[in-house]
Amino acid sequence: MADQSRGRGRGFALFKDFKKTLTADSQSSCQSSTKEIPGPSVPPSVPSSIVSAATGMPSTSIGGRGRIAAMMLSKMHQQTREVQFSPASDVSPSAPTVGAGRGMKLFQNLKAQMAQSQPRVGTEVKQITEKMAESTISSVQSSTIPKNKYFREIKETPPVVRKGESGRPCEVTANFIRLNFEEDHVFEYEVRYNPEQDYKSLCFKLLNEHDQYFKTRTFDGTTLYVPHMLPEEAMNLVSTNPYDNSKVQVIINFRRTRRLSEMIHIYNVLFKHIMKDLQLVRFGRQYFSEHSAIQIPQHKLEVWPGYVTAVDEYEGGLMLTLDSTHRVLRTQTVISLIKETVQCEGANWKRALTDKLVGSSVMTTYNKKMFRVDSIDDTMTPRSTFQKTENDKSSEISFIDYYKNNYGIHIMDWEQPLLISRATKRLPGSEKTTDFMICLVPELCQLTGLTDDQRNNFRLMKDVATYTRITPNQRHSAFKKYIQNVMSNEMAKNRLTGWGLSIAAETVDLTARTLPPEPLYFGNNVKVAGKDNADWNGEVARNAVMQAVDILRWVVLFTDRDKNVTTDFIDTLKRCAPPMGVNVSSPQLVRLPNDRTDTYVAALRKFSIDNLQLVVAVCPTARDDRYSAIKRICCVDSPVPSQVVNARTIMNSQKIRSITQKILLQMNCKLGGTLWSISVPLKSAMVIGIDSYHDASRKKRSVCAFVASYNQMMTHWYSKVVLQERGQEIVDSLKSCFVDALKHYLRVNGRLPDRIIIYRDGVGDGQLKLLQDYEIPQMQICFSVLGAAYQPALTYIVVQKRINTRIFMKTRNGFENPNPGTVLDHCITRRDWYDFLIVSQKVNQGTVTPTHYVVIHDSSGMTADQCQRLTYKLCHLYYNWPGTVRVPAPCQYAHKLAYLVGQSIHQPPSDALTDKLFFL
């Protein structure tokens, strides 16, 4: 035990008590953060052990040695708001051999440090408080600004410019239109109603009664923007409800003054109103012309042409993105579909109807609104009643009377079941969301979109494509027509001039670059020069594959009716194999008595997978349940590469050779072979592709696929799949995939890669900053698992393919699709991100859509040219298509794998298949 009379053990007690004081002081300072901080010379409360040490009296506390306390304090050298700790050398005792008096020395040094640091902290807090006071807007009268209101300010910093130089220049135009504006102030007001109004259309009508105060305005239902200050009498207005003649008080509160150039939100709301001025119908974020609908009577369809617009600030300034789009509607009503289903299915009508309707979208014919059907309620009919609140009085009203009174519609069938659509909305003035259950009358709903049967109808899809897949010339003409419509419409024109805006008469002209075609390398040292159209379908059939895998131990499953087709297929396969450099032996044939799913499953379970390279199943028809069962056994239960062949595709004797060649190429890839390669200049690099699939059948789960290269030519791929619950951070799952891929690379190559390039698909604009701030640092932590000194260069690129950007190449005949390899990296790229656009594929119909790449992190030092060239090169390495694809090969592989797992397997594949492209 320590001798208290000689000062032993007081240092540790001093440390414990001081730690308690520090905690108590930090809590009290948080509680009094709004008060002035005086900065005292001593702490407000001093423990008895510290007092005894300072006065030389013996302490009643017992602890360890003062030397240990000094060492522990020396580690706590970080600053706090109240106390700043100095290095341990400042508080260590001068006479280490003497035990007495060290606690007093320690306390005196700490007291001196606190006396020096606290006045300075008080000064800093005072300066911060003054700055906060200067930035406060005292003129805002309303304190009820919604928290979810987002204001985009155009930054004063220069835009991010990263341009490449390689390639042949070409003149192009894009679907971007410049907006010119005269800088002015915008006055923002909040509009409230007493009593509160639930319908946005009614809010507009109530405000429109007072047009004399704000002839030029932008209003979205709650926020009002005007280019001038409103007079005092416009703050409290009284309107009349046109439906029941009741009086409604309209309260307008001033919020803030902003510059016009800062308010991107205003422009987007403004163009929404312009769309209404042009009498276009809104579906989601797109607007369609009902009057220009194209009828396809033979299929009971109609196509509505429309536009999608977005205003944003780009590298080249403020521009409007304008794209033409189409919506396919069925002229059939839901009630007619119900009657057809009841007639065909009888007692099972509800199950059949649920399969057809649930998850689809319908349009209400009386107000042109889109709703998603979530269920069918046959216990409710138009006779059913619901609660309706009117003049603060609640009353029961039937659907029949509601539609008759409000829309003048007489419902004919009073016994039809109702459709249920569920929605979650945030009501004005409330931070919590409210669940709504919307009841729809089938008689008043029109079917939209196409069914699976309609999509499989080749003739129907060809007729629809005639109107939806428009050429670059037709699309550009639609843009010019839109501009002319805006300028010729008085209301739309007045909206623009009222805000001092003008729209350019033409789309923006640009200079793009077309990268040189990439040469391809096949087996037997054959080099094939690249083509402008980036297509090598003929060369694949004529040349041997780069790396062949002999098919020696394989089995073929077939039914009695497909015996001849299967025999022809095997014979053709053997004839096609030698020119491709593949040796194929005779397979083991398994004849099945019928084509039932459980028959295929039972046959597959009999085989010893250890002795098999490949399983081929010839199925008479395409059935999802049978395909899923075969893939589940071959990918999860008994892992072996598998090939499912539809007998109908190999029945045509004229096409069987070309189809068999493609199947053989797929089989070679699934066994670990390589079809072709290109020149990749990077040494010791790993390329990763990430994509996700949202499982519609299991609404709460999604599938994330991770594919990584593990050889220098980037032709061999390691894959992992993660199924995750709703709300789970995707990065937590990706870290384990990342480490497993690096370990596999180490096993194969004997070293770790020096450079890692990640292509991440399925990320929206709102998640870019989150990836940059959170996911990339988490990825970098994974490197330390493989060694403290391992720090490879990391490049993280987000791939966005669902975009509205279009690029047209100028020619003598007007406009055409640009050639594959066309790069655009200026003017219409993002202002605050390092990004570029690449047209990497050739399309034979319609207009090509470029792919948008955003480089959110790059520590490799790659130039813009190198990054763009590598990205385009990787578009050549997808082995399911003898040409370039829209996204880099690892992304396309990840998409294919995620789709297979999400659509058919519903669980992670076996680890035995991770180093093969079994999912092609």
Side-chain angles (χ1 to χ4, degrees):
M1 183 178 288
D3 186 358
Q4 297 179 27
S5 62
R6 298 187 61 186
R8 302 275 183 178
R10 284 180 286 175
F12 189 68
L14 170 69
F15 175 76
K16 289 199 299 182
D17 288 334
F18 186 78
K19 200 171 180 183
K20 292 178 182 176
T21 306
L22 194 63
T23 306
D25 288 348
S26 64
Q27 291 175 352
S28 62
S29 65
C30 290
Q31 294 171 359
S32 59
S33 59
T34 56
K35 300 178 182 178
E36 186 179 350
I37 301 174
S41 58
V42 291
S45 59
V46 182
S48 58
S49 60
I50 298 181
V51 174
S52 62
T55 56
M57 297 296 291
S59 172
T60 59
S61 300
I62 298 174
R65 295 184 177 274
R67 186 190 301 255
I68 297 173
M71 290 171 64
M72 294 178 72
L73 284 167
S74 68
K75 295 178 182 178
M76 300 173 62
H77 56 81
Q78 296 181 347
Q79 290 188 355
T80 64
R81 291 189 67 84
E82 285 79 24
V83 179
Q84 178 181 3
F85 287 92
S86 295
S89 58
D90 293 343
V91 295
S92 59
S94 56
T97 57
V98 181
R102 281 182 284 176
M104 185 187 297
K105 194 84 171 176
L106 177 64
F107 173 68
Q108 289 172 347
N109 281 319
L110 286 171
K111 185 177 175 182
Q113 291 295 328
M114 291 172 64
Q116 292 175 5
S117 64
Q118 286 185 357
R120 183 173 61 82
V121 172
T123 306
E124 289 178 353
V125 172
K126 188 176 180 182
Q127 291 173 353
I128 293 170
T129 306
E130 289 173 355
K131 288 181 179 179
M132 289 175 66
E134 290 173 4
S135 63
T136 302
I137 302 174
S138 58
S139 59
V140 177
Q141 297 177 10
S142 173
S143 60
T144 58
I145 299 174
K147 292 185 178 180
N148 62 338
K149 197 58 117 178
Y150 175 69
F151 296 101
R152 163 73 190 277
E153 290 198 21
I154 291 179
K155 299 177 181 177
E156 300 296 337
T157 55
V160 176
V161 180
R162 293 289 299 271
K163 294 175 65 175
E165 297 177 354
S166 63
R168 184 180 72 253
C170 60
E171 296 302 316
V172 298
T173 186
N175 59 333
F176 287 74
I177 303 166
R178 292 190 185 276
L179 291 178
N180 303 311
F181 61 90
E182 300 172 7
E183 183 61 274
D184 203 349
H185 287 91
V186 178
F187 298 88
E188 180 186 326
Y189 292 86
E190 179 194 24
V191 182
R192 289 185 297 168
Y193 300 89
N194 186 21
E196 289 188 6
Q197 303 299 319
D198 295 333
Y199 302 104
K200 186 179 283 189
S201 59
L202 183 57
C203 293
F204 282 92
K205 289 180 180 179
L206 294 172
L207 191 70
N208 288 346
E209 292 183 22
H210 309 280
D211 274 348
Q212 67 272 20
Y213 294 116
F214 21 73
K215 291 183 179 179
T216 301
R217 67 180 182 277
T218 298
F219 182 53
D220 62 2
T222 55
T223 306
L224 173 69
Y225 299 103
V226 289
H228 55 80
M229 197 76 167
L230 293 180
E232 193 65 33
E233 62 266 20
M235 295 301 183
N236 287 286
L237 304 171
V238 178
S239 300
T240 304
N241 189 327
Y243 298 110
D244 57 12
N245 294 324
S246 62
K247 298 298 181 184
V248 179
Q249 188 180 5
V250 183
I251 305 162
I252 301 177
N253 292 323
F254 176 72
R255 270 185 180 165
R256 66 189 82 192
T257 304
R258 303 182 73 82
R259 284 189 301 159
L260 180 63
S261 59
E262 293 177 344
M263 299 299 292
I264 299 293
H265 176 66
I266 280 188
Y267 303 120
N268 285 294
V269 174
L270 180 65
F271 275 95
K272 284 181 185 178
H273 292 306
I274 289 175
M275 291 296 193
K276 291 180 182 177
D277 296 337
L278 299 178
Q279 298 182 343
L280 299 178
V281 179
R282 180 180 179 180
F283 293 155
R285 296 185 179 181
Q286 300 172 341
Y287 293 83
F288 299 89
S289 174
E290 181 184 8
H291 307 292
S292 305
I294 304 163
Q295 300 294 327
I296 311 179
Q298 66 269 29
H299 303 297
K300 296 182 180 179
L301 297 175
E302 59 181 6
V303 179
W304 289 19
Y307 296 99
V308 54
T309 62
V311 180
D312 206 345
E313 192 201 11
Y314 297 90
E315 191 181 306
L318 194 70
M319 282 186 268
L320 167 72
T321 309
L322 175 68
D323 193 20
S324 58
T325 184
H326 296 84
R327 186 92 190 195
V328 179
L329 299 175
R330 285 183 268 173
T331 54
Q332 185 182 20
T333 59
V334 177
I335 186 64
S336 64
L337 177 67
I338 292 175
K339 289 179 179 178
E340 284 180 11
T341 308
V342 171
Q343 190 174 359
C344 295
E345 302 292 337
N348 294 326
W349 70 270
K350 190 175 180 184
R351 173 183 283 185
L353 190 65
T354 300
D355 294 339
K356 293 178 182 179
L357 275 182
V358 172
S360 64
S361 294
V362 296
M363 182 187 73
T364 49
T365 54
Y366 50 89
N367 61 357
K368 302 296 185 293
K369 299 285 185 184
M370 300 291 292
F371 294 94
R372 183 182 186 273
V373 179
D374 292 307
S375 62
I376 302 165
D377 192 344
D378 57 349
T379 63
M380 296 181 67
T381 67
R383 296 175 184 267
S384 304
T385 59
F386 64 95
Q387 291 284 339
K388 184 184 179 185
T389 304
E390 194 171 0
N391 296 332
D392 294 332
K393 292 181 181 180
S394 183
S395 60
E396 292 273 342
I397 186 172
S398 68
F399 290 96
I400 296 171
D401 294 335
Y402 173 79
Y403 283 103
K404 184 178 179 180
N405 298 339
N406 288 272
Y407 296 99
I409 296 173
H410 296 272
I411 295 176
M412 306 303 292
D413 188 344
W414 289 9
E415 302 300 329
Q416 57 188 309
L418 298 187
L419 310 178
I420 305 299
S421 177
R422 294 179 178 86
T424 302
K425 296 181 181 179
R426 183 181 284 109
L427 295 176
S430 173
E431 294 184 9
K432 294 183 179 179
T433 56
T434 305
D435 293 327
F436 289 89
M437 190 174 76
I438 303 163
C439 300
L440 305 170
V441 179
E443 188 180 313
L444 307 178
C445 295
Q446 186 175 341
L447 294 163
T448 67
L450 299 174
T451 64
D452 291 337
D453 292 337
Q454 287 174 321
R455 292 183 188 279
N456 293 330
N457 186 331
F458 176 77
R459 187 173 296 278
L460 181 147
M461 294 304 293
K462 186 177 180 181
D463 292 340
V464 171
T466 306
Y467 305 105
T468 57
R469 292 184 180 176
I470 57 177
T471 64
N473 277 324
Q474 291 172 323
R475 197 174 290 269
H476 191 266
S477 297
F479 301 157
K480 294 206 69 172
K481 185 178 179 181
Y482 175 82
I483 297 172
Q484 291 170 2
N485 290 342
V486 171
M487 300 312 294
S488 60
N489 187 293
E490 283 300 320
M491 289 182 67
K493 193 175 180 180
N494 291 337
R495 286 187 193 275
L496 290 172
T497 54
W499 287 102
L501 283 171
S502 61
I503 185 171
E506 276 286 352
T507 53
V508 62
D509 291 332
L510 306 161
T511 301
R513 294 175 290 109
T514 302
L515 300 176
E518 292 288 338
L520 295 162
Y521 299 89
F522 290 91
N524 302 325
N525 296 320
V526 174
K527 179 181 177 181
V528 177
K531 299 179 181 178
D532 288 336
N533 63 355
D535 179 24
W536 52 91
N537 189 34
E539 286 77 3
V540 168
R542 289 193 295 267
N543 294 290
V545 297
M546 171 69 71
Q547 180 183 353
V549 177
D550 296 336
I551 305 174
L552 306 175
R553 302 181 308 278
W554 60 304
V555 63
V556 178
L557 281 67
F558 63 97
T559 59
D560 275 334
R561 60 190 252 184
D562 297 325
K563 181 180 179 181
N564 295 333
V565 173
T566 304
T567 305
D568 292 343
F569 168 69
I570 295 171
D571 292 341
T572 309
L573 195 71
K574 289 182 178 180
R575 289 197 303 270
C576 294
M580 295 184 180
V582 182
N583 293 323
V584 179
S585 62
S586 297
Q588 179 184 349
L589 298 175
V590 178
R591 184 177 60 83
L592 303 177
N594 55 58
D595 64 346
R596 287 165 49 187
T597 300
D598 54 356
T599 305
Y600 280 87
V601 170
L604 287 170
R605 294 194 187 280
K606 291 180 181 177
F607 293 110
S608 174
I609 300 300
D610 297 336
N611 299 324
L612 281 180
Q613 284 180 288
L614 180 72
V615 170
V616 176
V618 179
C619 300
T621 56
R623 268 177 49 189
D624 291 340
D625 59 336
R626 182 169 53 214
Y627 179 84
S628 298
I630 294 170
K631 287 296 181 182
R632 195 176 297 115
I633 290 176
C634 295
C635 295
V636 181
D637 301 338
S638 303
V640 61
S642 58
Q643 184 78 34
V644 179
V645 180
N646 188 349
R648 290 184 179 181
T649 62
I650 54 176
M651 279 181 181
N652 190 335
S653 58
Q654 295 179 345
K655 296 182 179 179
I656 187 171
R657 182 177 178 83
S658 61
I659 292 171
T660 304
Q661 285 176 339
K662 291 179 172 62
I663 293 174
L664 180 60
L665 292 173
Q666 265 196 356
M667 291 162 60
N668 187 64
C669 290
K670 291 179 179 182
L671 295 174
T674 302
L675 303 188
W676 62 79
S677 68
I678 58 172
S679 174
V680 179
L682 297 179
K683 309 295 180 186
S684 181
M686 174 189 277
V687 176
I688 295 171
I690 303 171
D691 200 0
S692 56
Y693 171 85
H694 300 290
D695 195 344
S697 60
R698 301 181 181 188
K699 295 178 182 177
K700 294 184 178 179
R701 304 195 80 183
S702 60
V703 180
C704 179
F706 180 99
V707 177
S709 66
Y710 60 89
N711 67 332
Q712 193 269 325
M713 293 191 300
M714 297 177 187
T715 56
H716 290 168
W717 303 91
Y718 176 89
S719 61
K720 294 283 283 186
V721 169
V722 174
L723 271 72
Q724 43 187 51
E725 300 296 335
R726 190 177 183 182
Q728 180 182 349
E729 287 290 349
I730 196 169
V731 67
D732 298 330
S733 309
L734 290 179
K735 283 194 291 186
S736 62
C737 298
F738 200 13
V739 172
D740 291 343
L742 288 170
K743 288 179 179 177
H744 185 78
Y745 189 100
L746 179 62
R747 283 194 298 271
V748 174
N749 299 283
R751 56 169 296 179
L752 290 167
D754 297 330
R755 188 192 300 261
I756 296 171
I757 301 109
I758 300 175
Y759 288 92
R760 174 73 184 273
D761 204 344
V763 176
D765 288 345
Q767 296 174 297
L768 293 177
K769 195 65 179 172
L770 181 69
L771 287 182
Q772 192 178 51
D773 296 341
Y774 175 63
E775 186 163 315
I776 292 171
Q778 292 289 309
M779 288 286 190
Q780 292 171 326
I781 292 172
C782 298
F783 300 148
S784 60
V785 176
L786 297 144
Y790 181 57
Q791 288 295 327
L794 178 65
T795 304
Y796 202 109
I797 303 172
V798 169
V799 181
Q800 295 179 331
K801 55 181 183 288
R802 291 187 179 92
I803 59 173
N804 294 319
T805 303
R806 306 282 183 172
I807 302 172
F808 312 105
M809 184 170 65
K810 293 183 177 180
T811 63
R812 294 179 180 177
N813 300 322
F815 299 97
E816 292 180 1
N817 286 319
N819 290 324
T822 300
V823 180
L824 196 53
D825 55 6
H826 63 94
C827 192
I828 62 171
T829 50
R830 299 295 167 83
R831 185 189 189 282
D832 301 320
W833 293 97
Y834 165 24
D835 62 335
F836 53 90
L837 297 147
I838 297 183
V839 175
S840 53
Q841 82 279 25
K842 180 76 174 178
V843 296
N844 298 321
Q845 285 184 308
T847 309
V848 70
T849 303
T851 305
H852 185 218
Y853 299 92
V854 185
V855 185
I856 60 174
H857 179 84
D858 184 19
S859 59
S860 65
M862 274 196 298
T863 64
D865 265 329
Q866 291 171 330
C867 188
Q868 293 164 8
R869 287 289 299 272
L870 173 66
T871 301
Y872 182 54
K873 281 176 180 286
L874 289 171
C875 295
H876 292 68
L877 291 174
Y878 181 63
Y879 290 145
N880 240 9
W881 179 252
T884 51
V885 287
R886 192 172 169 190
V887 296
C891 274
Q892 191 66 23
Y893 286 134
H895 169 77
K896 192 79 173 175
L897 175 57
Y899 184 82
L900 173 68
V901 174
Q903 193 77 10
S904 302
I905 302 177
H906 302 296
Q907 51 188 310
S910 170
D911 290 340
L913 299 173
T914 53
D915 60 343
K916 296 180 177 65
L917 295 173
F918 66 93
F919 44 84
L920 284 184

